[in-house]
Amino acid sequence: MRVPEWRLMELLDIEHRGRVLRGALHTPQTTPAPAVVLCHGFGGNRAEFGYAFVRLAERLARRGIAAYRFDFAGCGDSDGEFADLTVSDQVEQAVAVLDAVGAHPAVDPARVSLMGMSLGGLTASLAAVRRPVRALALWAPAAAAAAMGEEGAARRAAAIEANGYDDFGGLPVYRAFAEDAAAIDPFADAAGHTGPVQLVVGSNDFVLPPDLIEEYRRLYGDRLDLHVIDEVGHGFETVPAREHLLDLTEAFLAKHV
């Protein structure tokens, strides 16, 4: 049976500091093509919630755009330990992935973009300063991971001191992550990207409250394409919201990559 051209996919492993990052590259029939690297959220994997990254990658391939979705070290099928996860390390991984994807024969190296969900969004915004990317798409970026208030930071530090980790919705946040994040300014450290940016967030998102959205407005100015989806939280938890999310991001990337 013939595989539709928009479902062409190859497993692509990328080495980073002695670890194998495992991922999947979706390619259109016509190459070399523009490409988008997809960065998943904290404790997630390359499929993302509701297989959103799989669906987005297939949509992009239909549009003639390659998409690479991968597991960060310590997540999914990639090498590494989850306890070693830090934002800075994820940024380094994303930069290595950008380089590897840009060098792939199916990809136009001058037309590579980044997108990310939650912690992957924060990671993507910081990696976009390290390598020139055409466009940046952010789903509910977890700026709060590196911009915790004093009360939240004190609570997290106390939990780590008592238990060895802070329990974040059933996932452990270890000392290495907390100490690394405290040294990052999610806005000043992301100020070097000069291309278009899309930011999509749920109106009830506790991870990205209005004050942090305003910081992104100030950071990106008139280059920011902001969308707030009503009545959903951090994971865009309804079928219509997720369909709208995919529609918005597909259109944005198709326009700017």
Side-chain angles (χ1 to χ4, degrees):
M1 188 170 90
R2 181 176 178 272
V3 177
E5 64 181 57
W6 52 268
R7 298 208 70 171
L8 296 175
M9 184 191 77
E10 67 171 279
L11 297 179
L12 177 63
D13 294 346
I14 296 171
E15 289 194 20
H16 180 258
R17 295 182 177 174
R19 303 166 300 189
V20 176
L21 308 180
R22 295 179 171 85
L25 179 67
H26 298 246
T27 55
Q29 190 172 49
T30 302
T31 60
V36 181
V37 170
L38 312 181
C39 301
H40 67 76
F42 180 69
N45 59 60
R46 62 183 182 256
E48 253 307 335
F49 58 76
Y51 310 106
F53 276 11
V54 179
R55 298 183 62 212
L56 179 61
E58 291 181 346
R59 283 175 173 230
L60 292 174
R62 286 192 188 100
R63 294 267 199 158
I65 302 165
Y68 182 67
R69 49 188 185 84
F70 72 102
D71 296 330
F72 281 109
C75 300
D77 294 320
S78 289
D79 293 351
E81 299 297 329
F82 188 75
D84 296 330
L85 189 157
T86 67
V87 176
S88 294
D89 187 29
Q90 287 203 165
V91 172
E92 295 289 343
Q93 292 172 56
V95 169
V97 167
L98 284 171
D99 290 343
V101 169
H104 193 281
V107 171
D108 178 351
R111 301 180 66 191
V112 179
S113 296
L114 264 173
M115 75 83 53
M117 164 63 193
S118 191
L119 192 67
L122 173 61
T123 300
S125 69
L126 299 172
V129 177
R130 301 278 300 278
R131 293 292 185 273
V133 295
R134 293 287 288 261
L136 179 63
L138 307 175
W139 292 355
M148 294 189 75
E150 291 184 9
E151 181 178 347
R155 184 205 58 76
R156 172 159 288 175
I160 292 172
E161 184 66 27
N163 305 312
Y165 63 89
D166 180 29
D167 193 323
F168 182 74
L171 289 169
V173 177
Y174 293 104
R175 188 183 307 276
F177 181 96
E179 292 179 348
D180 174 77
I184 294 170
D185 185 319
F187 306 108
D189 294 347
H193 172 66
T194 59
V197 180
Q198 183 184 70
L199 171 59
V200 189
V201 61
S203 63
N204 300 334
D205 190 343
F206 73 97
V207 175
L208 190 64
D211 62 318
L212 296 185
I213 295 175
E214 287 305 311
E215 291 292 336
Y216 279 113
R217 285 184 189 271
R218 283 189 281 271
L219 172 61
Y220 295 121
D222 59 9
R223 294 179 291 115
L224 182 64
D225 176 32
L226 173 64
H227 299 269
V228 179
I229 301 179
D230 289 336
E231 302 303 322
V232 291
H234 190 60
F236 305 94
E237 303 89 352
T238 70
V239 171
R242 290 180 175 182
E243 290 300 315
H244 187 39
L245 176 66
L246 291 174
D247 289 344
L248 288 170
T249 305
E250 176 189 354
F252 172 80
L253 291 171
K255 178 180 180 180
H256 292 291
V257 300

